[in-house]
Amino acid sequence: MNTSISEIKTVTAAFVIIGNEILSGRTKDVNLSYLATALVQVGIRLDEVRVIRDDQSTIANTVKTLRSEYDYVFTSGGIGPTHDDITCDSIALSFELDVHHHPEALKRMKAHAKKRGVELNEARLRMARTPLGANLINNPISAAPGFTIENVHVMAGVPSVFQAMVNELLPTLRTGTKIHSRTVISNLGEGTVANGLEKIQSKYPTIDIGSYPFFKNGIYGTSLVLRGAQVNDLDVAAKDIFNLIKEYGGHPTDGDEN
Amino acid sequence: MNTSISEIKTVTAAFVIIGNEILSGRTKDVNLSYLATALVQVGIRLDEVRVIRDDQSTIANTVKTLRSEYDYVFTSGGIGPTHDDITCDSIALSFELDVHHHPEALKRMKAHAKKRGVELNEARLRMARTPLGANLINNPISAAPGFTIENVHVMAGVPSVFQAMVNELLPTLRTGTKIHSRTVISNLGEGTVANGLEKIQSKYPTIDIGSYPFFKNGIYGTSLVLRGAQVNDLDVAAKDIFNLIKEYGGHPTDGDEN
């Protein structure tokens, strides 16, 4: 909401998860949570996530839309060796670029295949393909690289490989102001303190206060999450929230911080 | 990909997850996986998911776009009693409708508050608000209902409540042809069988074959997932895939089925 103050430098991102297996419920995505946490830590604001089908024009159009709206677009999935791995061709289509076997990618994959003693067949060689002009994202796990075209970063869907690629990529990106957070746990339902909370939100316009109800062990409780660029501001507002909860007979406790 | 045959009746859906807490990595979403699985079971195809910020115009515009593209739009999050719960107003904005306190929602919430012995204060009463003309989605957990406007179904973000609302809602919706799936697990890396697999995919155009690599206990394996409207077709194609894996010296096994 009303977090923005002029000193905050915002760098934005969108994440595109390419995969019918997520949409069918077969696979639970774990990459979103990993990327989201990593981006917060470096000061990039994840503004939107889309999960889309393995369809060439859907991928191409989605990436085209998002790359003009956000500073960065990250994608996961569809860069393997099989017939349903169409991300490289779709990204090339999105940028109207040709696809080639990237020389450095070929080199890395040859070395990896030799080490593992597997044949570098036509299918595996597909994983060395990138749109013309792409830069590689290193894959320390299984060699076949991701790639970057302009502000679009194309990574694997397999979580261990995705995470390794994110770790390789993030230190190379431009980042914004780091947003800190502080969580206050209340053992009251969120309806009890809602009015008081709104007043505290109005009092601290540079902080964004989110209220997340939970129902655990028979208790309706609430996690109140404060976010802002200044840790001191968060401490002051958190004190007001502690007092508000006590005022209503509740017991506030500190939650996770980062 | 090329699953469509003329007898298949497709009903499509999009899911909008409203929540800064997902985008910040604080909360791991579990609603997508629940909804995706439930939709497959009734024969509704989930085509797209978007995770968006708690921002009124973002919510309004996203819902406006998606409701014209898909048969159904489901949303989760932002219908609680606090200042950051802006979904109702955003949906009303999206449809250019006024917001009112829905009489039946008020009745249910009064009964629930009385039972729990909590005060139905102004904040809690916010949860009885809907756009004018909305139908309620029953909430058997905590009374405060979700609502439906045209083809848009607005539900809670708290997983237990979301799941209960999905269970109330789905039996009332129009559904399409149920798509079945069958999984074959291979202990070979997906690059090994990729070429053969592409040939099998070409042989069975009414089936959609997905290849999902995994790395577990030091083994590069692959889950091969077949999807289609006819279980018999899946069995025939799965047999071809079993034979392909054996041909390359691998050991195929049956995975989860549904």
Side-chain angles (χ1 to χ4, degrees):
Chain A
M1 260 78 62
N2 44 10
T3 47
S4 58
I5 51 170
S6 55
E7 305 91 61
I8 292 186
K9 194 180 64 165
T10 303
V11 175
T12 62
F15 180 32
V16 182
I17 299 170
I18 298 160
N20 291 352
E21 74 278 21
I22 310 288
L23 293 168
S24 72
R26 187 195 157 268
T27 302
K28 284 191 212 308
D29 167 72
V30 296
N31 292 334
L32 162 53
S33 147
Y34 185 85
L35 180 67
T37 305
L39 291 178
V40 165
Q41 281 164 359
V42 299
I44 294 176
R45 193 178 79 186
L46 182 61
D47 269 1
E48 183 171 352
V49 179
R50 295 195 191 180
V51 189
I52 59 174
R53 295 179 69 78
D54 301 344
D55 173 83
Q56 195 158 309
S57 66
T58 304
I59 299 169
N61 291 334
T62 301
V63 166
K64 198 165 192 170
T65 301
L66 295 177
R67 74 175 189 253
S68 70
E69 289 180 18
Y70 299 103
D71 293 319
Y72 295 117
V73 175
F74 305 97
T75 80
S76 73
I79 63 169
T82 53
H83 64 278
D84 58 338
D85 289 304
I86 58 171
T87 298
C88 171
D89 294 280
S90 308
I91 300 288
L93 179 70
S94 181
F95 282 97
E96 298 175 39
L97 288 169
D98 288 331
V99 170
H100 73 147
H101 284 89
H102 191 291
E104 173 61 23
L106 275 176
K107 199 176 133 192
R108 293 183 194 176
M109 291 187 59
K110 278 178 188 162
H112 185 72
K114 197 175 167 188
K115 204 172 115 191
R116 280 187 59 212
V118 299
E119 180 206 0
L120 201 55
N121 60 16
E122 191 195 334
R124 287 208 172 85
L125 281 173
R126 270 174 58 84
M127 293 193 283
R129 294 164 79 244
T130 71
L132 216 52
N135 291 313
L136 301 183
I137 300 172
N138 190 31
N139 170 359
I141 308 278
S142 49
F147 60 85
T148 296
I149 293 272
E150 295 181 16
N151 63 339
V152 178
H153 305 282
V154 175
M155 295 179 282
V158 177
S160 58
V161 181
F162 177 79
Q163 291 170 16
M165 286 183 177
V166 167
N167 297 346
E168 297 276 333
L169 177 66
L170 287 195
T172 71
L173 300 183
R174 187 171 60 85
T175 56
T177 304
K178 203 189 145 179
I179 300 300
H180 301 271
S181 74
R182 179 151 175 196
T183 301
V184 179
I185 311 279
S186 162
N187 64 332
L188 303 173
E190 61 172 358
T192 305
V193 296
N195 283 338
L197 197 67
E198 186 165 12
K199 283 179 197 138
I200 295 173
Q201 172 69 83
S202 304
K203 187 174 164 190
Y204 300 102
T206 64
I207 291 177
D208 190 15
I209 305 175
S211 170
Y212 306 110
F214 59 81
F215 182 70
K216 214 185 218 168
N217 306 326
I219 288 171
Y220 290 89
T222 312
S223 296
L224 299 161
V225 181
L226 299 82
R227 292 189 178 278
Q230 300 297 332
V231 176
N232 289 350
D233 292 357
L234 299 182
D235 289 342
V236 172
K239 201 170 170 188
D240 277 13
I241 292 179
F242 262 71
N243 289 336
L244 174 71
I245 294 166
K246 285 179 188 162
E247 197 182 306
Y248 281 91
H251 300 282
T253 51
D254 272 315
D256 298 331
E257 297 182 32
N258 63 36
Chain B
M1 259 75 60
N2 44 10
T3 47
S4 57
I5 51 170
S6 55
E7 306 91 59
I8 293 186
K9 193 180 65 167
T10 303
V11 175
T12 61
F15 180 33
V16 182
I17 299 170
I18 298 160
N20 292 351
E21 75 277 21
I22 310 288
L23 292 168
S24 71
R26 185 195 159 268
T27 302
K28 285 192 214 304
D29 167 71
V30 295
N31 292 334
L32 161 53
S33 148
Y34 185 84
L35 180 66
T37 305
L39 291 178
V40 165
Q41 280 163 0
V42 300
I44 295 175
R45 193 179 79 185
L46 182 61
D47 269 1
E48 182 170 352
V49 179
R50 296 196 190 181
V51 189
I52 59 173
R53 295 179 69 78
D54 301 344
D55 174 82
Q56 195 158 308
S57 65
T58 304
I59 299 169
N61 292 333
T62 301
V63 167
K64 199 167 190 168
T65 301
L66 295 178
R67 73 176 188 254
S68 70
E69 289 179 20
Y70 300 103
D71 294 318
Y72 295 117
V73 175
F74 306 97
T75 80
S76 74
I79 63 169
T82 54
H83 64 279
D84 58 337
D85 289 305
I86 58 170
T87 298
C88 172
D89 294 279
S90 308
I91 300 288
L93 178 70
S94 182
F95 283 97
E96 297 176 40
L97 288 168
D98 288 331
V99 170
H100 73 146
H101 285 88
H102 191 292
E104 172 62 22
L106 276 176
K107 199 176 135 192
R108 292 184 195 175
M109 292 188 58
K110 278 178 188 163
H112 185 74
K114 198 175 169 188
K115 202 172 116 192
R116 280 187 58 213
V118 299
E119 181 206 359
L120 200 56
N121 61 16
E122 191 195 333
R124 287 207 173 86
L125 280 173
R126 271 173 58 84
M127 292 192 283
R129 293 165 79 244
T130 69
L132 216 52
N135 291 314
L136 301 183
I137 300 171
N138 191 31
N139 170 359
I141 308 279
S142 50
F147 61 84
T148 295
I149 293 272
E150 295 181 15
N151 62 339
V152 178
H153 305 283
V154 176
M155 295 180 280
V158 176
S160 58
V161 181
F162 176 79
Q163 291 170 17
M165 287 182 176
V166 167
N167 296 345
E168 296 276 334
L169 177 65
L170 287 196
T172 71
L173 300 183
R174 188 171 60 85
T175 56
T177 305
K178 204 188 145 180
I179 300 300
H180 301 272
S181 75
R182 179 151 176 195
T183 301
V184 179
I185 311 278
S186 161
N187 65 332
L188 303 174
E190 60 173 357
T192 305
V193 295
N195 283 339
L197 197 67
E198 187 166 11
K199 282 178 200 140
I200 295 173
Q201 172 70 82
S202 304
K203 186 174 163 191
Y204 300 102
T206 65
I207 291 178
D208 191 16
I209 305 175
S211 169
Y212 307 111
F214 59 81
F215 182 70
K216 215 184 217 166
N217 306 326
I219 288 172
Y220 290 89
T222 312
S223 296
L224 299 162
V225 181
L226 298 82
R227 290 188 180 279
Q230 301 296 332
V231 176
N232 289 349
D233 292 356
L234 298 182
D235 289 341
V236 172
K239 203 171 170 186
D240 277 11
I241 292 179
F242 262 70
N243 289 337
L244 175 71
I245 294 166
K246 286 180 188 161
E247 195 182 308
Y248 281 91
H251 300 284
T253 51
D254 272 314
D256 298 332
E257 297 183 31
N258 63 37

